[in-house]
Structure formats: C-alpha cells, structure tokens
Amino acid sequence: MSALTFTLKIQPRQRVDLSPLTPDNLAGKPAAEIAAIELYSGKQKLRADTVFDIAGDDASNIVIANSCNKLDFIGHGMKTGRISIHGNAGSYLGLQMRNGEIVLHGDADAFAASGLSGGLIHIHGNVGDFLAAAIAGDKQGMKGGTVIVTGNAGERVGDQMRRGLLLVEGNVGSYCASRMLAGTIGVFGAVGEYAGYGMRHGTLLLTQTPALHATIQDCGLHTLPFLSLMFKSFSNLPTKFAKINKNRVQRYAGDLANDGKGEILVLQ
Amino acid sequence: MEKSAQPASMDNALSGTVTCPACGLLCDDLVVENTDGNIKVRQKGCAKSVTFFERPQQNPSPRIAGKTADLQSAIKKTAEILRNANQPLITGLGTEAHGMRAIMSLADRAGATLDHMNSNSTIRNTLVLQNSGWQVCTLTEVRNRVDLLVIVGTDIVSLFPRFFERHVWNEQSMFGQDTAAREVVYLGGRDIDTTPGISPKGVQPGILPCDIARLPEVVAALHALVSGKKLLAENIAGIATGDLQKLADRLLAAKYSVIAWSAAALDFPHAELTVQNITGLVVKLNNTTRSSGLPLGGNEGDISANQVSTWISGYPVRNSFMRTYPEYDPYHFATARQLDSNEADALLWVSSFNPERLPPSCKVPSVVIGHANMTLAAEPDVFIPVGTPGIDHKGTMFRSDNVVSLPLAKLRESTLASLSEVITAIENALKEQQAC
Amino acid sequence: MIINGVTIDNTFAEAFNMRGTRVIITAQNHKWAYNGANAMTGFATSVIGCGVEAGIERELSPTETPDGRPGVTILMFAMGSAVLMKQLETRMGQCILTCPTAAAFSGIDSGYPEITRINLGKNLRFFGDGFQTSKQFGGKRYWRVPVMDGEFITEETTGMVRAVGGGNFLVLAESQPQALAACEAAIEAMRKIPNVIMPFPGGVVRSGSKVGSKYKSMFASTNDAFCPTLKGLTRTELSPGIESVMEIVIDGLTDADIRKATRAGIAAACELGAQNGIKRISAGNYGGKLGPFHFHLREIMNDESLGKKIA
Amino acid sequence: MLIKLAGGTVYDPAHQVDGKVMDIYVRDGRIIARAHDGERIDREYDLRGKVVMAGAIDMHTHIGGGKVNIARMMMPEDHRGDPVAHSAFCRAGCGHAVPSTLTTGYRYAEMGYTAGFEPALLPTNARQAHLEMGDTPIIDKGGYAMLGSDDFFLRMLTAKQDQNAINDYVAWTLHASQAIGIKVVNPGGISAFKFNQRALDLDEQNVHYQVTPREILKALSRAVYELGVPHPLHVHGNNLGVPGNVETSLKTMGAVEGFPVHLTHIQFHSYGTEGDRKFSSGAAAIAEALNKHKNVSADVGQILFGQTVTASGDSMRQHANAVFGSPRKSVIMDIECDAGCGVVPFKYKDQNFVNALQWAIGLEIFLLADDPWRIFLTTDHPNGAPFTSYPHLIRLLMDKSFRNDMFAKLNLDAQAMSTLSSIDREYNLYEIAIMTRAGAARLVGLHDRGHLGVGAGADITVYTNNADREKMFAKPDYVFKDGELVVKDGQVVKVTWGHTHTVKPEFDRGIEKEIKKYFDTYHTMNMEHFKISSEEIAEGGRGGVVVHECKGRREKTA
C-alpha cells in the first residue's frame, strides 16, 4: 500500500473544491471511480484525473502534491486518516474536520480550521485571515482539536472559537480571539490591535504585551497553577510551545463590553 | 381604489408625491416639474435629490468595444460573454426590486456570482444580523418616539440630507412629545457637521469626538458602562470615561432612545464587530427600558438588492449560482477579491441610479449596464445605457429601514429600456445560445 | 494453622459490595496536601454514622501528580453511588476548596471494567459566582475557581468503581498493649498496599459490633462474644488468657486488593508472635449470608501469590 | 383544452363526496359537469385506484413579508444544509426552515398544495409581502392584514369612535394592502411593548391608549363581520407561549361576544401551569370550548422536532422568547407605529420536556376537536415546523400506532403529563380533505377553490393510496393548477403563477381624507404610496388579483 497521491497538473484559474477527496470518502473506491470524481471549479465540474495525476492506493494516507492556493476545502468534514499537502492550500482547510490529521507544508488561505471539532491540523507555513473562525451565520468557530501554525496568521484568529487548542508560533493580525467563547489560543510572536475584542471566555496566551483596548482590564501578576497542567498537555506536541514551563503571568480579563470573562495571559 | 397608486407619466406637470431614490430615506413628498424631459425639483429638494433628478436627459446608444451598436447586438454580445465565462461576476447592482428580480434570474442561468457596489458597507450590518441579530426600528418610530438620539461615527446628513428635518425635528408626534426637546448626541468622528443636530430651540447636541478608527474601543466602553461595569481607564480614545458614563446613564434613563449608525461611515476593518457592540448595547438597554438601533443605508438600491436576493436565493448578495444552487460567501465573493484573484473571468456592472458609480478597473471581458449619463474611464466590451428608475420608468425600492418599500414613478417619456427589460433580454439570448 | 505461635482461626471475613473512588489532592507541599486530605477523610470511619469510609491511600511525589506538585491520594467508599457522590461533593467543598493551595484531581481513569464518572469539582465551580472558568487538557475538563489565595483548580469528575468494603481481621492478644502493638505493626505493613484503606482511627477499631440489640432503636450493638470482660456472662468466642481484641477493617477497590492487605496485615501481626502475647487471628462474619465476599484467613495466608513468603 | 380525470376515488367534502369513484372534467382551467356531446377530450388521465382531492390550501403560513425575509437573511447556516439546484423547470433556491420564495412554491405544489395564505401582512410592509408572494410560483396566495397595534386604530378606540368608522378603516386597510382578511396579533400588545410594557393580558390596559385587548378584539371581530368579509377575524392571542395562557384563550373565545373568530396556532395558547414544572396541557379545555363555541375556529400550529425559526409580528413575546433561541440570535423590530416583528431561530427537541409536551398538546387538540370544519392543519410555518413536514403530521393524525410509537420516544416527564396515548381517534381521508381543502377554502372565503364542483378552479391533487400516509401525501402522482399539470410524480413539470386572493368590501370613502391628514402629519410615507395597486401585484406576467365577494353584507349598526 502506498499513499494515495494527487499531484496537481493544471494551474486552475478558479478555486477547486476538493471536499470529495477525504480518506473517508475515498476508502474502498477503485482507482477508476476516484479518477472520475467531479470537482467544482467555477461553473465547471472537472474530473479529478484532469486536475491531478493520481497514484497510490492507500486512501487513509492521502498526499496532495504540487498543491496551490486555489485548492479549497481540503479535508472537509474528514473523520479519519491523514492528508499531507505539499505546496499551498486554498481556503477552508479542514473545514468542520472531526478527526484525523492534516499536515500542510506550505501556506493556507482564509478560514483554515473553521468548525474543526477534533484531530490535528499542522501548518508548516503561514495562514490567512479567520483562522479557526466561524463562517457566516455560524455561532462557533473551532470547536475542538488542535491546530499548530509554525508561521504567521492573519486577522481574526479564533473568532468565536469554542474549544480546542490553537498555537501560532509566529505573529498574528488584529482582532485576535475576537468574540472567543472558550478554548486556548497561544501566540508566540506579536499580536495586532484589538486582541480579545468581544471575548467572552477562553484564554489567549501571549509572550509579549499587546496594545489592549479599554474593556480588557488588568488583573495583575499571578502564578497560576493551571498553567502547569496546560504546559504538561503541550509536552508531546510538535511545537515550541512544548518547551514553556513558566506559569507566572500578567493577567488581563474581559471583554467587559460583552460581560466577558476571557483572559489574556502574558508570560513573564 | 382600483386605480394605480403610482402616478402615471407626468410630462410637463407638477407632482407632490414623487419618491426620491437618491438616498435610502426615500422621501416621497417631492414636488418636481418635467419640462420636455428635463426634471426640476420644485419643493422638498435636497442636494442629493437635485443632483439625481436634474441631470440632463441623455439618450446614448449601446456600444460594443466602443462602437455604437444596436441594443439587440449588445444584448447578444453580453450573453456570449456570460456564456464563455467560467465564473462571471455581476456586480454594482445599482437597481431597484424589479431590476434585481431580473438579475437574479439571469444570475441563476449564467452561473454568476453577485455583489453590490455598497457591499463593503452593508456587509458590516449583514454579518451582525446573521450572527446575533439585533433590535431596531423604522423611520416612523424614530419620528414619533425618539427622546435621545445617539449617532455613532457620522453626521448622517451627508449621506441622508433630510434625516433631521423629517425624522427628528418634525413638528408633531403621535404621542404628544415636544420634539424640540429631543436630545441628540454625536459619538465619534472628527470635524463632522453637527449643526443639523441643534434643536429648533437652539439646544446644542452633545458631541463626543474621537477618530473613527477608535470607535471599536469607544463603543465597547459604552456597552460596558451601560452593562454596569466599571472601567479603569479614565480616558478612552480622547473621551473622558466620565462623559461616556453620563451618556450611558442618559441611555438607561431615556424612554425610547435610538442609536443610529451608517455602516458606510464605519469604514475600518472588521467594523461589524463594532456594529455588534452597538446592537449589543441596544439589547442590553431593552432589559429595562426601550431602545432601538437604526442602521442607515439603502443608497444605490443596496437594501433592495439584498432583499430580493434573499427571498429568491436565501442569501443576500455575495452569493453565487456557479454551482447551480445558491452559495453564500461574504469573504470570497467580494468584488475586489474576485477581480484581484483573477477568479472572475467576466464582469457585468450595473448602476442605473448613479452615473458616477463606475465599475472597478479589470482585465476581464466586461459589460456595463448603466445610467445614460455615465462617462466611463475605460471602455468596456459592452455598454448598454438604461433608464433611471424613478425618472424614466417605474420601480419599487426598499427604504433604509428594510421594511418600507415605495413605488418609484415614471416622470418622463424615455426611449431607454429599463434594466429589467435589458436583463431579461440577455437571459433569453443566453437561453438560446445555451440551447445551441 | 499456626504462624509464629499465633493461631489462625479457620474462619473468614465477610465483605460487601461498595462503591469506591479515588481523589488526588495536591498542594504547595506535602504538609498542605495532608492538611486537606486529613480533613476530607476525617469522620469517615464507618458508613453507619459517617455516610462514607475514607482514608489516605498513599503519598505522591511531584512527578506522580497531574500538576507536578506534592500530593496524596484518598480513597472513599460508600454503600451506594448516590451517597458517595453526595459525600464526595460535600467533603470537597468543605475540606479541599477551603484548604490553602490545595487542588483535586481524578484518581481513577482506567484499569477497571466499569468506571462511572462522578462529579468532583463540577458543582463546586458555582462557588465562583460566574467568575469560574473551565479548561480542557488531554480530554479532561478542569475548573478554575477564583479564591482568596489565587485559584482553586479541580478536575470536573473522577472515576467511581464497584469496590469491596468490610474486609477485616481480629487480633486476639493477652493484653491491651500487646493487641495494639500488633495492630500498629499490621497497619504499617498494610499502608504499603495500594488500593486499600483502613478507615478507623489509626486503622484500628476496638468496638466490633454484632447485628441487633436488646434496645429497639439500635440495629447493632457491641459484639459481646469478643468482649473480654464478658467472658463469664455470654457465649464467648474468646479462649482463656485473651484480655484484649482489636479489629482492622479494610476497604479496597477489588477483593484481590483486600486479600493482599489482609495477608500483609496478618503476617505483620504474627511477626510479633506468641512471644509478644499475640494468641489468635480471627475474623468477623455473618455466617456467610450477608456479604458476597468471603476472605478465608487460612486460604489467604497459604496463598503465596498474594505477598511475600511468610516465615 | 379539455381534460378528463377518469375513474379516481374522489374526496370532495364540500359536496359530501366521500370516496366515490367518478370522472372529473376540466375545460380551460375550470371544472365542468361533463364534455359536450362529441367534444374531443384532449387528454385523459386514468386515475383508477387513485385518490383525488382538490388542491390543498394552507390557511396560515408565513411565506412572505419582512419577518420571513429577515429569517431567511439571518440563517445562512440553515440554508447551507438544503441547497436546491435549478432544474429543467425550476430555478435554484434553498429549502428547510425558511425556504426561498421560488422553492416555497415548488415544494408546496409538489405536496399537492395549491394555495397558501400569509397571515401577518403588515399593511406598511404589504408591498414587500406581495413582492415575495409574487415570486412564489404555482400556488395561489393571499394575506391577512395586521391591525390592532396600529396607532390610527388605537386612537379610534381611545376616542370611542363608532363602529362604522372602525369598519371603514378596516375596509380601507383591506383595499390598501390587497388582503383577504384581518389579523390581530397580541391585540394592543405590540404597541404596549413600545411603551415598555412587557406583558398584556386580555383585560389589561395599554398604558398609552387606555385600551384593552378585549376591546380591540370586540371592535375588530365585529368590523370584519359587519363588512361581510368571509374570513373571520384571525386572532393570535395575548400571552403566546406563556404557561397558563389557556385561561386567556378561553376568555378570548368569549370576548368576541358571538362574532366569528379564528384563533390561530392555538397550540401555542393552550398551556396550563400544573405539575412540578408548572407547565401542562390545556388541550382538553381548549378542545371542549372549541366544540362548544360554534363561532370559533382554530388552526393548531403543531410543533415538530428539529431546527426551525419562529417569525412573528408579536415583538413583545418574541422579545421575551429570544433568550430561548437556538442558535442564539434574534431580530426584534418596532415598525412604523403600526406593528412589530420578532424572529427567533428555534430548535425543538423531543427530549426537552416543554417541547415534547408542546408536541403532544398540538396533537391532543387535533384529536379532541370534534368538527374538522373548524380545526385546521398547520404548523404555523415556519414557527412550529416547516410546511414540508405536513405529510408527517398527516400520518400522526391518521395512524394511531405510528403516533404512539413517536410518543413513546419523548421526554418521559412529558409523556407522564399527556393523555395523548389514550386517544384512539384516527382521522380519515374525508376529514383530512375537510381540514386541508373544503374547510380551509370556506374559512378563507374562496368560493371556487377547495372543492371539485362545477365551476371550481381546477386545482386538483391525485395521490396513490398508501397505508403509509406520510409517503402518500408527500408525493402526489399529479397536481393540476387551474387545469394545468404542474406536478407529476412529486416533481414540478411546469411552473405557473397563481392568483392573489383579496376582498374589497364596500365602505365610506370619506375616511380617506382623515387618513391622508394623519399620514401627512405623522408618517414618513405618503398615503398614496401605502396602497398597493393591482398592477404591482401582476407585474411581469404574474398572476393577477382575484376579488372575492363579501357576501351578505350586514347592515351597519348605529
């Protein structure tokens, strides 16, 4: 058995919807059937084998090679298996993913990990705006699972995030953790303005003090024992967050505008 | 009763019930005069309505690649462009309800994506509606109930000139209120014209200025204070926290406050979060007293386009029919993103009210269906002039408040086709081409 | 059977189904972990009057605890799940929530055929008056409740299992000091056995009871057959020369745990031997009619799989 | 065009036809007695063994107008789950809780429905409602104009104006808004909410107007009756959803003093306060009162489990209910000193005590109400459930064992509070035909719909008889609209535009002067623009306005 590999062979002008190409969907399908799967791109439906060279047979281990930022909805709703992507990914990477693993060796576009409820998304690169945020109409962004981004992330990281762990090793844009409901976001780098805007619950863990708006208020310097538990839970994750072992933090809480009890913890 | 409620053609006549679509207020008390096809606003005019109605009547021909063409050829060419595109974008959408009905049908057949020229503004409200909802009222409620009007980040009048005249300083109100005693507070913005907020008795409005880009913080602070929180900061974006506290106290004491904003004026990134804080504080006020939000919009038919789009597809614009069923993606279907990414491969721009709203520059095949007086910087592949709703033909338009819709009248004879006629013809041409 | 001159009676201890749970208490140091744990397991000798039987099981080093601080484990047993849950919640609230620096964690997550999650800090969170907040790590939910010394951390639930209570043996000796010395030796050995507690004061109970009483309001009363001062008045179980009897009661998570503890305890008592006045080891039962678990003393002492070889 | 529907088993309660095998002839969209001698039959359908009924009529369904479109706009997450692609005959849209207009028309037709009536047409928003209904294909439609919290009317009551003036204003409103009936929602309560009142009981005064709901109900029910409007006053009572409101509903039946009245979505108004949770079924009392008061009819507003959205003019109650919304979002509006609206998404759960009991209460009312001519099958679409669940609801009514199986899955505490499983009644096809056809047409005042007699519009639905009534009613073999075959095998095969049904009772036009003055003084729109023209409704080749006779117009009383 070798990894089921889709090597992109065209340069699509319109975004291509890859949601049918998940381990769950492809399990047990003969090659001819996979080749004939239709993928939306603009008004057209393209056969999978006109978009990709397809090789390999292990649908539980999918590789997307030569990938580009027009390939959307990779791993949409996936429940099992693994997808590795070499090159960039489009938007909605791992949308509503329930379990399994996505590893991206490249950058992702907007709304990565939106609605994620389990599993791991590991992005070796940068991501666009609305990482782990809710899509229009939804009340919850990421709902569980783990996301690790080695690079930078855009604006509105974790908007309405409900649960789970989101770790960004680089910098993030403005409105990080906006309307956050719960869960944990960690950012190693710098954070843009209006962090925690509308935050209701949850933890935003930082290493640098950002500019904070007036309804996020200082609660002082503390040694918080729960951080030991948290860092212990990071210890086997492939991220530099695993090496943190401090639990002394400046604690800011809010957003008071929304009766919020979220916290921004800045490691000392 | 059976006769039409819409005034018929009014050549060389005065009318006292003309609806003005030049802004979302849709004032329908204008007196206009038609002299050989040129309209003069005789009474109840404002800068916007005068500009709108008094443009000289023009009757340009359709053009294909800059050359005069007959309407049929222009329609056929447009259909070809749509047919050959894999992701056509129909945007601008400066039209009223009937024009939008036709566009929805064409978009379905053409697999098009839809956006409106004002969507960058309207989306700030739509996203709030879709996330938390809100508590708002309509213009007649404002006119008869408001006792404290808080205006966030705008003077209102530059976009909606007659707002104070018709809705705040009206002489009589249903419930015997002394309208001149109404309080007005401007929150945020710098150097805005607050004189319309001076009461007939000469009482100055409250003014709490700040940079527009700092409104997210100021509005959040007001929301927190209305919720009974104590803030550590003494000064928020240049406004003393004590002054904000006083405003919060007045809101809590008011019997029917109205908090107005114009999404167009909240022109900073992620402004929907600020709008959500405004509506959130209105909801909070309604725990004990009455208060309503007042989102002001409706210019260039944006509310009309969204209403029609929603009842036909389920979604406001930034929706798409490319997959044969409607999809909605307010992020990716934005005109700028569609063009910048080169994903849209044909552009159809519609602006039937306003010749000054021009299409974005683009490198893809483009069609402009526009106001007769439009002067285009770059010549599109096809230009089709259409009549102006409310002047050249009838129409139906939704007001700022999203509830009231008014008939637009035909005020003069015109040889120009209406947008819906042109769009329907394009759809029929496309249907024929698809059948081949 | 005679070990080191001590007669092991041919009898058995009769034990009952109980529900048991374990809680890990950590604190800034062992002193405060014990302060919390002692309070929580206080007044918990017998279900008859205390609702639960509880005790400290063992001490944990920082590497053994979830939060990397010194700790101890508590075992708690009751006749039914409802009373166990109620008692756990009450004792957590009064003894751990209140104890400076203390935190509480689940002590049973796996290893038993049937584990029921019961509330540990789930309802204590409401003490936070809305300021409480929860975090999930590794699939477990923890509550953070703001308190005056900082934050009280507690896991939301712990595991409850079917357990066994009422394992016991009796030490019959020539004098009261000798009986007590044997029991102390037994307890010291038994405390090294995991998954059991000896809930009575110091692990030892002197007031063995029988079912029934001459008084209508009492459903149990002193076990006169083992009371040395009543030898002449009642149908005594005591041989001449026995002046004092003490009992060690054992609750454990499984019957195997109780067997191991029983063997370790009896062996330690017997090590003192007849030369120190230890005459007999016996056990309490109800004729085998009431409890499903029968711990036959001689069988346990012969079973070398249960512990080290006895000299 | 002459078509013959041959040999079907016909249920036509308007003519007491109960399962009779007969032929039906249709010429040019109307039912005729028989073909002329020698006349050529253009098309004959062999309906032997099939069940034939008139097209069904939904007499209370929120299919158009501001609140419905707000509901659509605020629920993209719901639409995503039910995208509707275009087909050879139909345009694209979306379904589920609040379907797009086109899809609404298609799906109603595909279930054999040929008419639906929007029950909350705000006169100030009537143009939008008609625009939306104008984009709802195939089915006929109409609306009930909402009065009762509008300032003009409340002023009239405060001023104790005589009934004649009120009648004129009501008639003027029917004309202006192109409606077929009058609806009152939380009488006076929507207005009271704007004055910060949070509840209004039947005999409690609106603080501003000093007027009670009872007075409003009396004036409006009498006006509707005296104008000869066939559809009785359509009442959404006070205290919707409030435990204990069964008392309000019982009092409301008496408050109209014998004038005809229709109590809508009565299920939401049939709650007692017994039991540990202070929430219980008032169904038995409601059904008993309904059986007794012959001037009263009701539709049920059945709830069914799943995601939906509640959209109502009752801003007062919707504001109070907003905290129960799921997903948690809501729109509450004060509208033009005339009305209000509230939109709150809601997910009914069978394991929720209150929801489960609501389900049972609705069915209890259906089964305990004796006269199928006075009780109507609705879910108050989309408030109780989307209209697409009607086949399921019909099965619940017709199949006791199915009903009991469903009941047995409910929240146990709710089961303990309901007598539903002890009710043996099963509706038969004739009774279903009454509720959904003949009775509905009679109630709304449609003289030529809802029956299969000579002269009727040929709106006809043909089903394959099936013991599984849900399957049967979900997918008719044929649906004819005005004699045209629009649905075959449950799929739209032709898209037509239905009519808009209205009434235009006579009245004293003199009142318009007063109304104009009022508009000019207080309103933000011209009175002339408030009125909807018939041309607007028929715009773009859509179905035109049909005016139904206001029969036997009663003499005005002094």
Side-chain angles (χ1 to χ4, degrees), chain C residues 13-16 18 44-48 52-56 75 77 79 164-171 183 186-187 190-191 195-209 223 246-252 257-259 261-262 265-266 282-286 295:
Chain C
E14 189 173 358
F16 304 89
M18 292 187 97
T45 55
S46 164
V47 292
I48 292 169
V52 287
E53 297 173 7
I56 294 171
L75 290 176
F77 299 85
M79 297 308 286
V164 182
N168 67 76
F169 60 89
L170 298 165
V171 177
C183 285
I187 289 296
M190 294 168 81
R191 287 217 167 118
N195 308 331
V196 296
I197 52 158
M198 287 61 71
F200 284 97
V204 189
V205 53
R206 63 151 172 210
S207 57
S209 59
N223 194 356
M246 293 180 191
E247 181 177 359
I248 291 177
V249 172
I250 312 158
D251 296 329
D257 295 323
I258 290 181
R259 280 176 206 283
T262 302
I266 292 174
S282 189
N285 63 55
Y286 306 92
F295 300 105

Side-chain angles (χ1 to χ4, degrees), chain B residues 88 182 191 207 232 245 262-263 304 330 353 356 362 366 385 398 413 416:
Chain B
R182 288 172 170 170
D191 305 322
I207 305 172
L232 301 173
Q245 181 69 58
S262 154
S304 303
F353 290 115
E356 275 134 37
C362 68
S366 64
F398 282 84
E413 289 307 325
L416 293 169

Side-chain angles (χ1 to χ4, degrees), chain A residues 94-139:
Chain A
L95 179 71
Q96 282 150 15
M97 174 173 160
R98 298 199 207 157
N99 215 332
E101 189 177 347
I102 294 178
V103 180
L104 169 65
H105 301 278
D107 297 343
D109 208 337
F111 290 99
S114 176
L116 176 79
S117 56
L120 172 71
I121 299 181
H122 194 172
I123 297 171
H124 297 274
N126 303 319
V127 288
D129 295 338
F130 295 100
L131 168 64
I135 59 174
D138 280 3
K139 298 279 290 173

Side-chain angles (χ1 to χ4, degrees), chain A residues 163 183-184 203 232 261 263, chain C residues 65-66 130 135-137 144:
Chain A
R163 195 172 291 152
T184 303
T203 303
K232 200 166 169 187
K261 297 179 183 79
E263 63 185 351
Chain C
T65 62
K135 299 299 297 179
Q136 273 194 331
F137 305 118
R144 299 163 55 196

Side-chain angles (χ1 to χ4, degrees), chain D residues 188 191-200 204-212:
Chain D
S191 164
F193 180 55
K194 297 174 189 178
F195 293 102
N196 205 22
Q197 283 176 279
R198 300 303 168 115
L200 197 68
E204 195 174 340
Q205 284 190 337
N206 176 304
V207 289
H208 179 76
Y209 299 99
Q210 310 285 305
V211 164
T212 65

Side-chain angles (χ1 to χ4, degrees), chain B residues 222 225 229-230 240-250:
Chain B
L222 183 62
L225 294 170
K229 307 288 176 189
K230 293 284 169 256
T241 306
D243 290 344
L244 274 182
Q245 181 69 58
K246 276 181 210 145
L247 177 57
D249 294 342
R250 285 162 81 186

